[in-house]
């Protein structure tokens, strides 16, 4: 099974379908049921703010320093009580553990924001169909989660905290179940996709093109989760490298990273004829075609893939919009797709392409692209799009805000998803 504390190998990626917790009843034999003391316990003492949202956040704040221990205990409870669920998860649980706490934190953070919570959980519910998650799995995982929180958050835990988590968890699970049920009526849980082309661009970067076994609807700028036959139940995020094509083919730019199971398999092992599996499309880094605003696009490394797709999307809509692309890499060989972009620039006078090299000791994430953007402009009439390593995204957002682009016109997907999508 491997060391469960090993860092994630392929960026953020995805493990198996952990987030299936729907406690229809209070778990039996959980530590809290035996009367764990806490500030909201039987004595009625504790902080004045004992709203459900506050209790959720206080619980998470208490377990954050020991997140690894909590998630280990959670999975131990789950697999001990329900060993049949183990087959839904990957053999190695490293990435899975990291995503558990992040998903919990996100859900709890938005507990008092129903719209944001629903949007987040709807995406999770649809995406978890590919793991084989069913409604009957939710109570089991919910019991394990409540048991783990009760054991490791004694300062907060008590009847009020437990009731808050059970109520929140019931809501969370129902949103996910409903989303999966609705999605099942209109699309498969996953698509089979045959590799039809494999082009090596550098020793560690390949362009992989696949043909899905049935129509695959998506938008330029989105990404998907991908599973290889060599690592079952291990999914990683990759962005589509083109706008939708008439022939239905899909291309991905993949960089092999150290200890990256999926990325190394795709770069060094995949060949035409191999069959992969694709999850549903996701992501909101798409073009708003209702406006004539210019596009300012920052792509770092293989993050140039969705940027190229956005350029193709603008070209196919036939509207005259200014598009400025900054393509960054640490060294010259990192600009592996520059020729494609230069050909697009020759075909479309509204397109500008600026390669940005950063050979400094800090590498690209230290600020090469953001610094280059500051030197040009103005950008106040542009919508901004960023794709690349998480460090570059963070600094890029800061730079764009600094030059006057409002937050609502800066588009990128979550940093956790971006890490997987660009590696």
């Amino acid at each position: 099974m491997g060391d469960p504390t090993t860092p994630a190998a392929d960026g953020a990626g995805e493990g198996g379908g952990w987030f299936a917790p729907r406690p229809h009843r209070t778990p039996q034999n959980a530590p809290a049921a035996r009367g764990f003391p806490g500030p909201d316990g039987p004595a009625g003492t504790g902080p004045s703010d004992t709203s459900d949202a506050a209790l959720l956040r206080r619980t998470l704040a208490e377990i954050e320093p020991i997140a690894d221990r909590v998630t280990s205990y959670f999975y131990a409870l789950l697999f001990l009580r329900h060993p049949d669920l183990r087959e839904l998860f990957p053999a190695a649980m490293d990435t899975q553990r990291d995503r558990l706490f992040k998903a919990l934190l996100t859900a709890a953070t938005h507990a008092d924001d129903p719209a944001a919570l629903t949007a987040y959980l709807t995406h999770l519910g649809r995406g978890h169909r590919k793991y084989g998650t069913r409604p009957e799995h939710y109570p089991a995982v919910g019991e394990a989660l409540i048991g783990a929180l009760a054991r490791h958050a004694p300062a907060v835990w008590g009847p009020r905290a437990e009731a808050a988590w059970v109520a929140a968890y019931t809501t969370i699970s129902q949103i996910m179940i409903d989303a999966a049920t609705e999605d099942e009526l209109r699309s498969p849980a996953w698509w089979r996709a045959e590799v039809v082309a494999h082009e090596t661009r550098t020793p560690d970067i390949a362009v992989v093109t696949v043909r899905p076994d049935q129509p695959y609807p998506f938008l330029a700028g989105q990404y998907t989760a991908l599973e290889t036959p060599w690592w079952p139940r291990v999914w990683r995020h990759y962005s589509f490298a083109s706008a939708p094509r008439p022939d239905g083919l899909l291309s991905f730019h993949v960089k092999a990273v150290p200890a990256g199971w999926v990325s190394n398999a795709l770069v060094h092992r995949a060949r035409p004829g191999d069959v992969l599996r694709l999850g549903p499309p996701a992501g909101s880094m798409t073009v708003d075609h209702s406006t004539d605003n210019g596009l300012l696009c920052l792509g770092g490394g293989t993050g140039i893939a969705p940027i190229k797709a956005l350029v193709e999307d603008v070209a196919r809509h036939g509207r005259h919009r200014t598009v400025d692309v900054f393509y960054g890499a640490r060294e010259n060989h990192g600009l592996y797709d520059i020729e494609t972009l230069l050909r697009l620039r020759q075909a479309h006078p509204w397109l500008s392409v600026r390669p940005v090299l950063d050979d400094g000791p800090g590498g690209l994430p230290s600020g090469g692209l953001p610094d280059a953007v500051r030197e040009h402009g103005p950008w106040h009439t542009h919508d901004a799009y960023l794709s690349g390593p998480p460090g570059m995204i963070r600094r890029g957002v800061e730079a764009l805000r600094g030059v006057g682009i409002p937050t609502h016109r800066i588009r990128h997907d979550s940093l956790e998803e971006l890490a997987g999508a660009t590696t």
Side-chain angles (χ1 to χ4, degrees):
M1 178 172 168
D3 181 2
T5 63
T6 303
D10 271 341
E14 291 191 66
W18 83 264
F19 202 79
R22 187 181 184 226
H24 298 290
R25 56 184 175 80
T26 300
Q28 297 179 353
N29 301 321
R34 296 194 295 270
F36 246 125
D40 62 329
T45 60
S48 58
D49 187 358
T50 57
S51 66
D52 283 5
L55 291 171
L56 298 182
R57 294 191 180 98
R58 284 166 52 202
T59 305
L60 290 172
E62 184 174 356
I63 68 172
E64 184 172 11
I66 55 171
D68 279 347
R69 194 184 314 165
V70 179
T71 30
S72 292
Y73 189 80
F74 163 78
Y75 283 112
L77 281 180
L78 178 63
F79 297 149
L80 178 64
R81 297 176 179 177
H82 304 277
D84 55 306
L85 297 185
R86 184 63 182 87
E87 65 182 18
L88 299 180
F89 295 82
M93 297 289 292
D94 47 4
T95 300
Q96 185 67 24
R97 292 164 46 84
D98 292 340
R99 290 184 63 83
L100 166 61
F101 187 73
K102 291 175 183 176
L104 272 175
L105 183 60
T106 300
T109 299
H110 295 297
D112 50 2
D113 185 348
L117 182 64
T118 298
Y120 175 71
L121 295 174
T122 296
H123 168 66
L124 281 183
R126 291 171 177 168
H128 277 63
R129 290 182 57 213
K130 63 182 177 289
Y131 303 123
T133 304
R134 305 297 303 168
E136 57 267 25
H137 298 150
Y138 282 68
V141 184
E143 291 179 2
L145 177 63
I146 297 295
L149 294 176
R151 181 179 181 87
H152 291 92
V156 176
W157 204 258
R160 290 288 304 278
E162 181 172 342
W165 274 98
V166 170
Y169 205 45
T170 301
T171 299
I172 286 169
S173 61
Q174 194 60 56
I175 293 173
M176 294 183 66
I177 290 172
D178 291 345
T181 300
E182 179 183 356
D183 193 60
E184 191 171 2
L185 300 175
R186 59 189 181 194
S187 67
W190 42 264
W191 287 254
R192 290 169 58 87
E194 180 184 356
V195 176
V196 296
H198 186 282
E199 178 187 357
T200 301
R201 294 289 185 89
T202 74
D204 60 355
I205 294 177
V207 176
V208 181
T209 301
V210 303
R211 177 186 292 111
D213 62 347
Q214 54 187 303
Y216 188 99
F218 74 99
L219 299 175
Q222 289 190 306
Y223 61 88
T224 186
L226 190 153
E227 179 201 54
T228 73
W230 304 286
W231 296 103
R233 300 183 302 282
V234 178
W235 297 78
R236 296 292 183 263
H237 288 135
Y238 293 98
S239 295
F240 300 105
S242 67
R245 297 166 46 167
D247 60 10
L249 298 181
L250 310 172
S251 292
F252 305 94
H253 292 189
V254 184
K255 180 177 181 179
V257 297
W261 301 342
V262 176
S263 63
N264 276 280
L266 289 172
V267 172
H268 301 302
R269 190 168 182 175
R271 294 294 182 268
D274 292 330
V275 177
L276 314 177
R277 292 206 300 177
L278 307 176
S284 58
M285 198 183 75
T286 56
V287 176
D288 179 2
H289 291 290
S290 67
T291 176
D292 290 325
N293 289 348
L295 274 65
L296 171 60
C297 301
L298 281 64
T302 52
I304 199 63
I307 298 301
K308 184 168 71 72
L310 294 177
V311 172
E312 294 178 357
D313 193 33
V314 172
R316 291 181 183 181
H317 275 75
R319 300 181 67 177
H320 297 289
R321 304 175 64 175
T322 300
V323 179
D324 291 86
V325 174
F326 289 79
Y327 181 9
R330 289 190 175 119
E331 299 174 341
N332 192 60
H333 74 272
L335 301 173
Y336 65 92
D337 208 33
I338 188 64
E339 294 301 325
T340 302
L341 289 170
L342 293 179
R343 287 194 296 271
L344 286 170
R345 185 183 66 181
Q346 291 177 350
H348 305 294
W350 42 261
L351 174 62
S352 170
V353 177
R354 297 182 177 91
V356 180
L357 291 177
D358 184 355
D359 292 313
L364 179 60
S366 67
L369 281 178
D371 288 346
V373 169
R374 292 188 189 99
E375 297 174 2
H376 296 81
W379 306 114
H380 61 276
T381 61
H382 285 62
D383 295 330
Y385 297 80
L386 301 91
S387 178
M392 188 214 83
I393 299 300
R394 294 187 183 95
R395 291 168 177 81
V397 169
E398 293 174 1
L400 294 172
R401 289 173 178 166
V403 298
I405 300 181
T407 301
H408 71 275
R409 282 170 40 202
I410 301 175
R411 304 189 180 192
H412 62 82
D413 291 306
S414 75
L415 294 178
E416 292 79 9
E417 291 167 338
L418 280 165
T422 57
T423 56

